[in-house]
Amino acid sequence: MAADLSPALTADMLDEAANAPLYQQIYDLLRARIVSGELGLNTRLPAEQELTEMLGVSRITVKRALNELAIAGFVRRQRGIGTVITYDAAAPTVKGSFENLIDGLTRMGVETQVQLLDCTMGSASPAICETLELPKGSAVQRIVRLRRLAGEPFSYLVTYIPADVAEGYSEDELATESLIKLLEKAGHAPVEAEQTIMAEPAEPAVAANLGVAPGSPLLRIHRIMRDRKGRPVQDITAHYRSDRFQYHMRLTRDTARQKDWKTDS
């Protein structure tokens, strides 16, 4: 049975004179109803032909809008079944913050569940040696983990730890504890972090673990953490589902100079 689009989608909801193409307008209309929960998880959308008649557009236009929703991870399209919503509006969203980064990361470790996918010891690549300030060919521990919130995957993390630091905790603990706590246990509590944030399409392996379609937009955060002595003790690249993770920051302006903005961190 097709979803009940109430109030129904109609042609007057689209504006052919707008800068946004019609497929984008249809995408936005459906996405808004999915994100709001009006169209819930596992609901089947009307067939392409039905949407074509509702909106007075070509089937190609509708098809592209639905394909874009699938790429973004909001729906799944399957021959013989149709277009089914895969986004759960009721699932909670994790909120990161620049205002107190270390405490926020620690709290995230407490409030989410972790699944250890891989843990190996080997020689670091030149790039990892550079970020961790290690001699060429140094041994590092590579950790791959998946984090879930309320059972839903939201982050895929690949971490590198210097071998001597990794001796301070067990592999079993990686499956239950946050890395920040384990680094504290190892005597290298992180007190400073530098990170880069960017958008990136999901590679197939990452997409499979996060439950999204390949090419879906992800938030990529690369972070280097240092202990009190200034030593880099963790290099981590995290991919977050954009529908399950938000970053919040508060900006302040120097009113004396009326030109500089800064983050409160």
Side-chain angles (χ1 to χ4, degrees):
M1 181 180 294
D4 177 17
L5 291 178
S6 180
L9 296 177
T10 57
D12 60 9
M13 294 179 178
L14 305 179
D15 182 2
E16 294 189 9
N19 290 329
L22 291 176
Y23 82 85
Q24 182 66 50
Q25 295 180 49
I26 296 170
Y27 170 93
D28 291 340
L29 284 171
L30 291 172
R31 181 186 182 279
R33 296 187 179 200
I34 293 170
V35 171
S36 70
E38 182 180 340
L39 296 175
L41 179 67
N42 296 324
T43 298
R44 185 159 60 91
L45 292 178
E48 290 178 9
Q49 187 57 42
E50 291 180 66
L51 288 172
T52 294
E53 293 170 0
M54 285 181 188
L55 295 166
V57 296
S58 71
R59 189 163 180 172
I60 293 176
T61 298
V62 168
K63 188 181 189 70
R64 180 165 183 184
L66 295 178
N67 285 342
E68 293 290 332
L69 285 169
I71 291 173
F74 290 104
V75 302
R76 179 182 68 252
R77 308 200 71 199
Q78 189 171 342
R79 187 179 297 276
I81 295 178
T83 303
V84 179
I85 295 170
T86 55
Y87 177 86
D88 185 2
T93 299
V94 176
K95 293 186 178 181
S97 173
F98 281 114
E99 294 178 9
N100 199 333
L101 177 63
I102 302 299
D103 287 347
L105 292 172
T106 301
R107 188 166 55 252
M108 186 184 300
V110 172
E111 294 177 351
T112 61
Q113 304 84 45
V114 65
Q115 177 184 354
L116 181 64
L117 302 179
D118 187 43
C119 180
T120 56
M121 194 71 72
S123 297
S125 67
I128 296 300
C129 285
E130 181 178 354
T131 60
L132 292 178
E133 299 177 6
L134 297 171
K136 182 179 179 181
S138 293
V140 293
Q141 184 181 54
R142 180 179 182 271
I143 307 159
V144 182
R145 304 198 301 174
L146 182 70
R147 279 204 172 277
R148 299 176 184 273
L149 183 68
E152 287 289 323
F154 80 94
S155 68
Y156 178 88
L157 311 103
V158 179
T159 307
Y160 294 90
I161 306 286
D164 63 302
V165 175
E167 292 175 356
Y169 54 81
S170 70
E171 183 173 334
D172 288 342
E173 289 176 306
L174 288 170
T176 57
E177 296 287 347
S178 74
L179 266 172
I180 289 183
K181 285 190 174 181
L182 295 181
L183 289 172
E184 290 174 351
K185 177 184 177 182
H188 294 275
V191 298
E192 179 185 346
E194 178 182 352
Q195 64 183 14
T196 303
I197 302 176
M198 62 184 293
E200 188 172 272
E203 297 180 355
V206 177
N209 279 285
L210 289 178
V212 298
S216 297
L218 299 178
L219 186 68
R220 178 185 184 273
I221 299 180
H222 178 240
R223 182 183 301 122
I224 301 169
M225 305 188 102
R226 297 176 181 269
D227 62 14
R228 292 190 181 279
K229 295 182 179 180
R231 179 187 178 184
V233 293
Q234 182 189 62
D235 178 302
I236 179 170
T237 299
H239 287 91
Y240 294 92
R241 282 179 51 163
S242 58
D243 60 335
R244 293 284 175 254
F245 188 82
Q246 300 173 0
Y247 234 121
H248 170 78
M249 66 176 71
R250 182 164 60 90
L251 302 176
T252 58
R253 192 178 187 191
D254 185 341
T255 54
R257 289 182 290 177
Q258 293 293 311
K259 63 179 181 178
D260 295 332
W261 290 86
K262 64 179 180 180
T263 59
D264 289 347
S265 343

